[in-house]
């Protein structure tokens, strides 16, 4: 059962941020901040909430990105950096958090990500062509007139589920996320949030020049069946954390882009080990 709550954050003129905690906060434990993926919500981490070993080792705090879940802001325009700032009060967001608050972040665990912009370099290494994939949706979700009956169509929902969870994902997973995506982005306000979330992905900035400044341990988890970003790209980018005391890439056989959902036990075991070492 969903346990999403909200808290007000004084950024961008005011943000109401959605979040979940699996158990009451315990100040004797470290806190793992979970950041959801594109057009999902904190429900992406349902398997982690149910893992008692994780709960015994750490606080689990899932924060919903700007434009996602129950997070709302008065500003129609926002960026991944704004989400990182909000969280200090997903892969791209976690690294930005480490850059903005090195005194607070003890380690980061990017999952199935790329730290480049949507570049030809990344595409040549087997990553997706984000601009080509997303531009059609962005154009369709751009309107000068209100769209009170809007909801994401079957094509978008199937795309998100196929690429994130895998084409052979369980019917219950497909039904749940189709319903969730449509509920999160219904109506004119939902369309505008979906559009900006997609614009942020298509037009995000790269972080290669900033990775020198990451000084905490890094454990990068990447599924071998990730349909968005390639293992080859991850193998190159993990080497850019030259000032991290420990930068490790861990691949998970047959893991999908939403790795914590497709292979929760592999992800959870790695999380417990990493947090125990930080």
């Amino acid at each position: 059962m969903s346990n999403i709550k909200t808290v007000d954050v004084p950024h961008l003129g005011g943000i109401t941020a959605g979040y979940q905690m699996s158990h009451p906060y315990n100040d004797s434990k470290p806190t793992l901040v979970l950041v959801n993926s594109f057009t999902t919500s904190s429900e992406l981490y349902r398997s982690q909430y149910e893992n008692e070993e994780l709960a015994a080792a750490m606080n689990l705090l899932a924060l919903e990105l700007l434009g996602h879940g129950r997070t709302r802001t008065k500003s129609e325009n926002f960026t991944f950096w704004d989400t990182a700032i909000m969280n200090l009060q997903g892969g791209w967001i976690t690294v930005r958090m480490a850059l903005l608050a090195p005194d607070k972040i003890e380690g980061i665990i990017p999952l199935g990500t790329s730290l480049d912009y949507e570049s030809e370099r990344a595409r040549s290494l087997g990553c997706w062509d984000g601009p080509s994939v997303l531009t059609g949706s962005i154009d369709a979700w751009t309107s000068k007139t209100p769209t009170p009956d809007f909801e994401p169509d079957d094509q978008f929902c199937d795309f998100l589920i196929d690429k994130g969870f895998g084409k052979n994902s369980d019917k219950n997973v497909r039904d749940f996320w189709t319903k969730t995506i449509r509920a999160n982005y219904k109506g004119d306000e939902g369309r505008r949030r979906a559009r900006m979330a997609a614009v942020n992905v298509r037009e995000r900035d790269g972080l290669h020049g900033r990775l020198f400044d990451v000084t905490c341990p890094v454990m990068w988890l990447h599924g071998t069946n990730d349909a968005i970003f390639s293992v080859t790209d991850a193998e190159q980018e993990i080497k850019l954390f030259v000032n991290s005391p420990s930068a490790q890439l861990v691949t998970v056989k047959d893991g999908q882009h939403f790795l914590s959902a497709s292979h929760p036990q592999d992800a959870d075991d790695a999380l417990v080990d990493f947090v125990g070492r930080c």
Side-chain angles (χ1 to χ4, degrees), residues 91-161:
W92 303 319
I93 305 300
T94 59
V95 176
R96 285 169 169 80
M97 291 168 65
L99 289 166
L100 290 172
D103 57 325
K104 295 182 179 180
I105 305 299
E106 297 184 17
I108 56 173
I109 312 165
L111 271 68
T113 192
S114 172
L115 302 176
D116 202 354
Y117 68 99
E118 292 293 343
S119 70
E120 182 56 40
R121 170 204 158 275
R123 290 189 285 275
S124 73
L125 295 175
C127 297
W128 75 329
D129 186 348
S132 293
V133 172
L134 292 174
T135 295
S137 293
I138 292 170
D139 290 347
W141 297 343
T142 301
S143 175
K144 292 182 178 180
T145 58
T147 56
D149 298 325
F150 173 83
E151 66 176 20
D153 59 20
D154 288 341
Q155 183 177 1
F156 177 79
C157 293
D158 286 340
F159 159 78
L160 192 285
I161 294 164

Side-chain angles (χ1 to χ4, degrees), residues 19-220:
Y19 72 95
Q20 287 200 60
M21 292 197 73
S22 58
H23 293 77
Y25 177 74
N26 184 333
D27 62 9
S28 69
K29 299 178 183 179
T31 298
L32 178 65
V33 179
L34 304 164
V35 183
N36 62 277
S37 298
F38 174 57
T39 62
T40 65
S41 70
S42 57
E43 291 292 278
L44 187 63
Y45 295 104
R46 290 185 296 166
S47 294
Q48 283 66 49
Y49 306 148
E50 296 169 358
N51 187 321
E52 291 301 325
E53 183 181 8
L54 279 182
M58 64 196 82
N59 299 299
L60 297 178
L61 171 61
L63 294 170
E64 297 182 320
L65 304 172
L66 282 163
H68 296 71
R70 295 191 186 176
T71 296
R72 301 289 185 271
T73 179
K74 295 178 181 179
S75 175
E76 185 154 343
N77 278 271
F78 48 82
T79 70
F80 287 133
W81 288 103
D82 292 313
T83 287
I85 292 169
M86 178 193 79
N87 284 0
L88 295 172
Q89 304 191 60
W92 303 319
I93 305 300
T94 59
V95 176
R96 285 169 169 80
M97 291 168 65
L99 289 166
L100 290 172
D103 57 325
K104 295 182 179 180
I105 305 299
E106 297 184 17
I108 56 173
I109 312 165
L111 271 68
T113 192
S114 172
L115 302 176
D116 202 354
Y117 68 99
E118 292 293 343
S119 70
E120 182 56 40
R121 170 204 158 275
R123 290 189 285 275
S124 73
L125 295 175
C127 297
W128 75 329
D129 186 348
S132 293
V133 172
L134 292 174
T135 295
S137 293
I138 292 170
D139 290 347
W141 297 343
T142 301
S143 175
K144 292 182 178 180
T145 58
T147 56
D149 298 325
F150 173 83
E151 66 176 20
D153 59 20
D154 288 341
Q155 183 177 1
F156 177 79
C157 293
D158 286 340
F159 159 78
L160 192 285
I161 294 164
D162 288 348
K163 297 299 185 184
F165 298 96
K167 289 186 176 181
N168 297 320
S169 57
D170 185 83
K171 183 178 184 299
N172 290 335
V173 170
R174 189 171 295 275
D175 291 347
F176 175 85
W177 282 106
T178 297
K179 179 180 178 181
T180 299
I181 293 166
R182 286 177 172 161
N184 280 344
Y185 295 106
K186 66 181 179 181
D188 191 62
E189 187 271 343
R191 174 190 60 78
R192 289 184 279 112
R193 284 190 295 109
R195 172 180 173 272
M196 189 52 54
V199 167
N200 279 334
V201 173
R202 184 183 68 177
E203 301 177 8
R204 74 184 187 279
D205 56 326
L207 295 176
H208 285 183
R210 301 177 190 269
L211 299 183
F212 177 90
D213 298 315
V214 175
T215 56
C216 65
V218 179
M219 182 178 66
W220 184 325

